[in-house]
Amino acid sequence: MAVLSLTNAHLAYGHVPLLDGANFSLETGERVGLIGRNGTGKSSLLKILAGIDKLDDGLLQLQLGLRSVYVPQEPVLRAEASIFDVVSEGVAEARELRERFEAHAPGEDLDALQTRLEQLGGWTWEQRVEETLQRLGLDGSRQVGALSGGLKKRVALARALVAEPDVLLLDEPTNHLDLDAIAWLEGLLNAFKGSLLLITHDRAFLDNVCNRIVELDRGQLRGYPGNFAAFQAAKQYELENEALANARFDKLLAQEEVWIRKGVEARRTRSVARVARLVQMREDHAARRDVQGKVRLDIATGDSSGKIVAELEKVSKRFGERTVVREFSTTILRGDKIGLIGPNGAGKTTLLKMILGELPPDSGTVRQGSRLTVAYFDQMRDGLNLEATLADTISPGSEWIEIGNQRKHVMSYLSDFLFAPQRANSPVKSLSGGERNRLLLARLFARPANVLVLDEPTNDLDIETLELLEELLQDYDGTVFLVSHDRRFLDNVVSSTLVAEGDGVWREYEGGVQDWLTQSQRAKALAAKAAAAPASAPASAPTAGPAPAKRKLSYKEQRELDELPGRIEALEAEQAQLSALIGGTELYTQGAGRIQEVTNRASAIEEELMVLLERWEVLGAR
């Protein structure tokens, strides 16, 4: 049953309609991810559903008595208030009604007040606030103004959840959250009983939380069952069909244009219906909104750095009583792509500054490589002059820029990043958050550099631009330092990760986030096993003697070892078949149930392979 719906919705800012006769419904208990290009109107749609903005035309219908709560990208919180007071704003109506009931003001209808209070659970609002704070790990006595961005986002979510809404509307809920907080939020939303509609570009988050994807594309809302992985394959099939249909249409239109221009003889036998059809085809072609072009990314690498970018030997750094880096050693070579992982405030920026020679260590030594040219992408966009034009931001004082060995006009270069030429002289302050990030990338890639430092580059970027940025960084010859909480982005780009493990301890792992999680879990399991072994040993150890010989494999174990390669090979073959099926088109004509079945089996095979490989390693070692 739909809790809210949009019918024939129209909304426009300027000459391009954001909603063009769009239809949408949100069912009870659904968890929907809303995706689309930057500037297509996703946040505007969320505000309309929240009752903040209005449609130009169309119908918004809400279930009777529906309670919905909207959490924007940057929640507005009273800085001087305590966390308890801000979260209590979520039960403001219940709080006010109970105060009026207890005041016994003359003329008040106490029966009506009591009925409404019972509907809202207003007699126990303090208990609800305390329970929510406890569940979200918040100290109600702390002042909001002193909190980090991640904790402020958590307070805004607490304020929304304490209202016990039927519908939760979230705009970029993972912004400012670290990896642990994102995993916590996933669990929170999966346990939420109401309906959920959220905007995010975090593909792993979409996969783990949503059971339907809705794309806002050229003014229309299109729904796809399943998570983001299922959406990607279905969308590819849809775009291929659309391109074929457009090509057939354009070919027929060209033929009809040739026919209409024929000589006098043809005009004598002209069909009135055929002429009318050509007029209609011209109108349809003019009205057609083709797929927006892709960002074209290229980067000026500049001269190569030396082979060694930085060498750290037992480096430590303290701020007051707090140690953020403790005796850390590593060597970073040209071409390494390093991800930095850790909670907010763990010292990622401090470690980066020491690696690049911008901050001296308290102890230990740092040796910088030669010929380093560093370019920075700053998370908070502090480097952007809001009053400057887009053209001046990219190439101040010149109409041309050099990208590698290529010379480009600034207008052409901006169009590569989907900025229309007429916007080149617009001020930076007129851009949306995603557009500012795109402009930062354009400025970053216009400057020759052999070391890139990217601090949260994925915030506000649409998914297509993210995927293109991934490809660029994978092919980049220089060295990359990447601070990000986007797990999929890190996994697809970095070759190793530096992870904050608490109390200033940093450890290096090969691979991305998933590799780090696998390796750290194995290390913990081995450490626990090693710690348990002495405890189970007898109190009086026997006299040392010759080491016992390794126990031979039993017949059953030897047989299992012999069978393992065949089982692994069969699973890998099945995995390849499923990958081809998911990447093809036939699967997406077989319904949502079949799509879910195939994607679930693909995930299960990955886990089975890990178990078999570990078992093979154990048996082979004996």
Side-chain angles (χ1 to χ4, degrees), residues 279-290:
V279 171
Q280 183 62 47
M281 287 178 72
R282 286 172 174 169
E283 291 174 358
D284 290 345
H285 186 271
R288 188 170 82 198
R289 296 176 65 181
D290 289 319

Side-chain angles (χ1 to χ4, degrees), residues 84 98 123-133 162:
F84 182 90
R98 201 175 86 184
W123 301 112
T124 57
W125 68 261
E126 296 99 335
Q127 182 182 342
R128 275 165 56 195
V129 172
E130 290 289 357
E131 287 175 354
T132 303
L133 291 176
V162 78

Side-chain angles (χ1 to χ4, degrees), residues 256-304:
E256 294 299 280
E257 292 288 4
V258 169
W259 170 79
I260 199 73
R261 288 173 174 79
K262 281 186 180 177
V264 175
E265 184 180 347
R267 282 199 291 272
R268 289 194 195 117
T269 59
R270 223 175 253 162
S271 162
V272 174
R274 193 170 177 182
V275 172
R277 185 180 70 165
L278 174 58
V279 171
Q280 183 62 47
M281 287 178 72
R282 286 172 174 169
E283 291 174 358
D284 290 345
H285 186 271
R288 188 170 82 198
R289 296 176 65 181
D290 289 319
V291 178
Q292 190 180 9
K294 290 185 175 182
V295 177
R296 290 187 289 277
L297 301 181
D298 197 5
I299 188 165
T301 309
D303 296 330
S304 295

Side-chain angles (χ1 to χ4, degrees), residues 493-564:
V493 171
V494 304
S495 55
S496 63
T497 50
L498 303 180
V499 181
E501 299 194 333
D503 196 28
V505 175
W506 288 82
R507 200 178 307 279
E508 186 169 8
Y509 293 88
E510 291 299 315
V513 176
Q514 201 54 51
D515 298 300
W516 157 57
L517 291 173
T518 303
Q519 293 172 59
S520 60
Q521 284 163 6
R522 283 181 184 169
K524 286 176 185 174
L526 289 171
K529 195 174 181 181
S536 59
S540 56
T543 307
K550 285 186 179 179
R551 182 175 69 83
K552 289 185 178 180
L553 295 175
S554 67
Y555 172 76
K556 186 178 179 181
E557 287 172 332
Q558 184 61 53
R559 187 173 176 181
E560 182 186 0
L561 179 60
D562 293 340
E563 291 174 352
L564 276 172

Side-chain angles (χ1 to χ4, degrees), residues 74-381:
E74 303 295 337
V76 178
L77 307 174
R78 290 184 292 133
E80 74 286 354
S82 69
I83 290 178
F84 182 90
D85 287 340
V86 169
V87 173
S88 299
E89 292 170 4
V91 289
E93 184 185 357
R95 190 174 182 174
E96 188 220 345
L97 289 175
R98 201 175 86 184
E99 287 172 358
R100 283 167 53 190
F101 185 89
E102 290 170 349
H104 294 292
E108 284 281 13
D109 186 344
L110 296 182
D111 287 339
L113 281 178
Q114 184 172 357
T115 301
R116 182 60 178 157
L117 271 169
E118 288 170 356
Q119 289 175 343
L120 297 172
W123 301 112
T124 57
W125 68 261
E126 296 99 335
Q127 182 182 342
R128 275 165 56 195
V129 172
E130 290 289 357
E131 287 175 354
T132 303
L133 291 176
Q134 187 176 1
R135 188 153 56 104
L136 273 64
L138 293 168
D139 178 358
S141 62
R142 290 187 66 183
Q143 189 177 357
V144 169
L147 303 179
S148 66
L151 280 176
K152 285 179 181 176
K153 182 62 73 82
R154 200 175 281 217
V155 170
L157 287 166
R159 183 173 63 180
L161 290 169
V162 78
E164 297 181 345
D166 303 307
V167 175
L168 198 53
L169 305 170
L170 305 179
D171 195 349
E172 294 289 358
T174 62
N175 277 8
H176 308 304
L177 296 185
D178 56 40
L179 287 174
D180 288 339
I182 290 171
W184 160 85
L185 180 59
E186 285 176 358
L188 186 76
L189 295 180
N190 283 325
F192 177 62
K193 302 299 182 188
S195 303
L196 173 67
L197 177 61
L198 61 90
I199 298 170
T200 184
H201 300 127
D202 186 325
R203 293 157 289 178
F205 192 80
L206 286 167
D207 274 340
N208 295 338
V209 171
C210 298
N211 54 25
R212 183 160 70 104
I213 303 296
V214 170
E215 184 185 32
L216 180 51
D217 179 27
R218 290 165 284 171
Q220 297 296 315
L221 290 161
R222 298 180 178 88
Y224 302 82
N227 60 12
F228 182 73
F231 156 78
Q232 279 185 303
K235 183 64 178 177
Q236 182 63 32
Y237 176 61
E238 188 180 275
L239 286 174
E240 287 170 2
N241 285 343
E242 182 181 344
L244 286 172
N246 284 345
R248 286 194 295 267
F249 179 94
D250 291 345
K251 185 177 180 181
L252 180 59
L253 177 59
Q255 290 170 346
E256 294 299 280
E257 292 288 4
V258 169
W259 170 79
I260 199 73
R261 288 173 174 79
K262 281 186 180 177
V264 175
E265 184 180 347
R267 282 199 291 272
R268 289 194 195 117
T269 59
R270 223 175 253 162
S271 162
V272 174
R274 193 170 177 182
V275 172
R277 185 180 70 165
L278 174 58
V279 171
Q280 183 62 47
M281 287 178 72
R282 286 172 174 169
E283 291 174 358
D284 290 345
H285 186 271
R288 188 170 82 198
R289 296 176 65 181
D290 289 319
V291 178
Q292 190 180 9
K294 290 185 175 182
V295 177
R296 290 187 289 277
L297 301 181
D298 197 5
I299 188 165
T301 309
D303 296 330
S304 295
S305 67
K307 184 177 180 181
I308 292 180
V309 172
E311 196 171 31
L312 284 70
E313 183 68 30
K314 292 191 174 180
V315 166
S316 296
K317 188 69 181 177
R318 294 170 64 89
F319 291 102
E321 296 298 314
R322 182 165 166 262
T323 302
V324 292
V325 180
R326 186 187 302 277
E327 295 195 342
F328 178 64
S329 300
T330 189
T331 300
I332 295 164
L333 303 177
R334 181 180 64 232
D336 283 350
K337 295 175 176 63
I338 311 291
L340 285 89
I341 298 175
N344 294 328
K348 298 187 289 291
T349 303
T350 300
L351 180 58
L352 256 179
K353 286 182 176 179
M354 287 197 292
I355 290 171
L356 297 171
E358 297 176 5
L359 186 67
D362 294 338
S363 61
T365 58
V366 178
R367 184 165 69 92
Q368 250 75 47
S370 58
R371 302 189 303 276
L372 297 185
T373 311
V374 185
Y376 290 87
F377 180 97
D378 56 309
Q379 177 185 4
M380 303 309 289
R381 311 188 186 97

